[in-house]
Amino acid sequence: MPPRPVPWYSRSATGSATLTVGVVGVLGAVLMAISTQQFESYGWTLFIFSPFVCGLAASVLYNLPKPADQRRLFRPALAVVTTLALVCTMLLLIASRIEGLICVAMAFPVGLVMALIGAGVGQLIVLALGTDSRRPLPVLAALVLVYPALQSYESRVAPPPPLHAVITRRVVQASPARVWAALVQPVHYPKRVGLLFRAGVAYPTRTALSITSTGQRELTVAYSGNAVAHLPLTRWVPARELQFRVPTTPAPMRELSPYPRIHAPHLHGYFRVRTGTFRLQPLPGGRTLLEARTVYQHSIGPRNYWQLWSDYLLDDMHTRVLTTIQQQAEHE
């Protein structure tokens, strides 16, 4: 009986790696699409469990054609294959109009860490289950099959997102009265912004106070991308405090994508600003401590990781607004 031909992917490390990257890339894109498109959920299952499964799958599939004597606990090549598989997943999400480049880039660091952890766990499973490289396949299949149930459970039991405040302060070399005058007049902000804002994250371009036909004071804010928000004032203490509420939060960004429109549910309702406040505190020497405070909540997890991004971007916006008001107050 003639010997069975060796599959092409078993003949070289490159063939095995190529197959692994392709299969795991598709698997990861399918799992993430289940979370974002079917459940419209952006939590631990999506950002932690799915890349972990991808890493474990990369380890199992990469070792599948290898004899037992070629399997080792630490394989730098496996880390490279796992990283490329995650990159393949992200590219497929962009190509299929599920996500844009900005959010993919933000999610990649935490996804890569979890994928590498998953690859390490997969390598331990491969070594622990003996000489037959097919024995870890049922473990991988079980994780993939349990994924929709885990995502469904997380979607049903997720608690309401807590409120979180970002506060930025700046000392202005002007009296509270002069700072207040600069605050309540129409303000046009400089066009120079950071990289993420140039890439599509929304930021205010001008603000103006007005009074509606019913006598309600409101703050009109124009954003990059031509969005405009009318924000009713809830507190007005001249030279001391101005507070407004945000009935509807505009889309926080315009995703970079080769397509004019993509279906990314997280752009609508997952990041909500509740209130914004300017406070003025007199300081010795005729100076003023000017404070900007934004209270928001978001339904994206792990919250501590995504809060780093949102806090950074809001603080950057605060700094831009406060610097403009400071310059106008100090140069009047």
Side-chain angles (χ1 to χ4, degrees):
M1 183 176 182
R4 180 181 301 176
V6 179
W8 67 269
Y9 58 85
S10 300
R11 297 171 191 169
S12 68
T14 302
S16 176
T18 302
L19 179 68
T20 300
V21 168
V23 172
V24 175
V26 173
L27 172 64
V30 169
L31 293 181
M32 294 179 186
I34 289 173
S35 292
T36 61
Q37 305 303 298
Q38 180 177 349
F39 293 95
E40 296 191 348
S41 176
Y42 295 82
W44 286 80
T45 305
L46 172 63
F47 292 111
I48 300 297
F49 189 59
S50 68
F52 175 86
V53 173
C54 289
L56 192 144
S59 181
V60 171
L61 296 179
Y62 186 62
N63 283 284
L64 194 59
K66 290 180 171 54
D69 59 352
Q70 293 185 16
R71 300 176 209 150
R72 297 191 300 273
L73 181 60
F74 177 74
R75 296 184 63 88
L78 177 60
V80 174
V81 168
T82 301
T83 303
L84 292 176
L86 189 62
V87 171
C88 181
T89 291
M90 300 305 186
L91 292 177
L92 287 173
L93 292 176
I94 294 172
S96 57
R97 302 189 184 191
I98 293 176
E99 285 297 340
L101 181 59
I102 298 177
C103 283
V104 162
M106 288 180 173
F108 188 78
V110 66
L112 180 59
V113 170
M114 293 310 303
L116 293 175
I117 292 174
V121 172
Q123 195 72 10
L124 290 174
I125 293 174
V126 167
L127 295 175
L129 292 183
T131 58
D132 189 350
S133 61
R134 294 171 296 180
R135 293 181 66 186
L137 289 176
V139 177
L140 174 60
L143 291 176
V144 172
L145 292 175
V146 81
Y147 186 89
L150 182 62
Q151 181 60 84
S152 175
Y153 175 78
E154 183 188 27
S155 301
R156 286 186 285 105
V157 303
L163 294 173
H164 179 71
V166 176
I167 303 172
T168 308
R169 298 183 177 92
R170 184 170 288 271
V171 176
V172 184
Q173 303 294 329
S175 67
R178 284 173 55 186
V179 176
W180 182 264
L183 174 64
V184 299
Q185 69 182 357
V187 180
H188 290 258
Y189 301 105
K191 294 183 179 180
R192 186 176 181 180
V193 292
L195 178 62
L196 285 175
F197 295 105
R198 291 199 301 270
V201 175
Y203 59 91
T205 58
R206 64 183 186 275
T207 56
L209 283 170
S210 61
I211 299 179
T212 66
S213 58
T214 61
Q216 167 73 51
R217 289 190 180 96
E218 71 176 17
L219 180 68
T220 301
V221 182
Y223 293 92
S224 58
N226 300 322
V228 177
H230 300 280
L231 313 176
L233 300 190
T234 56
R235 186 168 175 79
W236 175 274
V237 183
R240 287 295 181 270
E241 185 174 347
L242 181 155
Q243 184 178 83
F244 56 86
R245 65 183 179 88
V246 183
T248 304
T249 304
M253 67 178 66
R254 175 182 51 82
E255 277 285 16
L256 284 178
S257 171
Y259 308 105
R261 296 179 64 86
I262 64 172
H263 181 61
H266 68 82
L267 296 178
H268 309 284
Y270 286 75
F271 175 84
R272 297 179 294 276
V273 176
R274 294 308 187 186
T275 62
T277 307
F278 291 99
R279 290 197 177 112
L280 289 69
Q281 179 181 341
L283 297 176
R287 300 173 301 153
T288 303
L289 178 64
L290 178 60
E291 174 186 293
R293 175 193 298 258
T294 296
V295 177
Y296 74 93
Q297 55 190 165
H298 63 70
S299 307
I300 303 177
R303 188 169 290 112
N304 289 339
Y305 175 76
W306 288 103
Q307 207 163 271
L308 293 175
W309 287 104
S310 51
D311 285 3
Y312 164 75
L313 293 170
L314 284 171
D315 182 71
D316 196 316
M317 278 188 255
H318 285 174
T319 300
R320 188 165 170 270
V321 169
L322 296 184
T323 299
T324 304
I325 295 172
Q326 176 188 20
Q327 292 172 348
Q328 292 190 5
E330 292 179 349
H331 290 85
E332 281 189 353

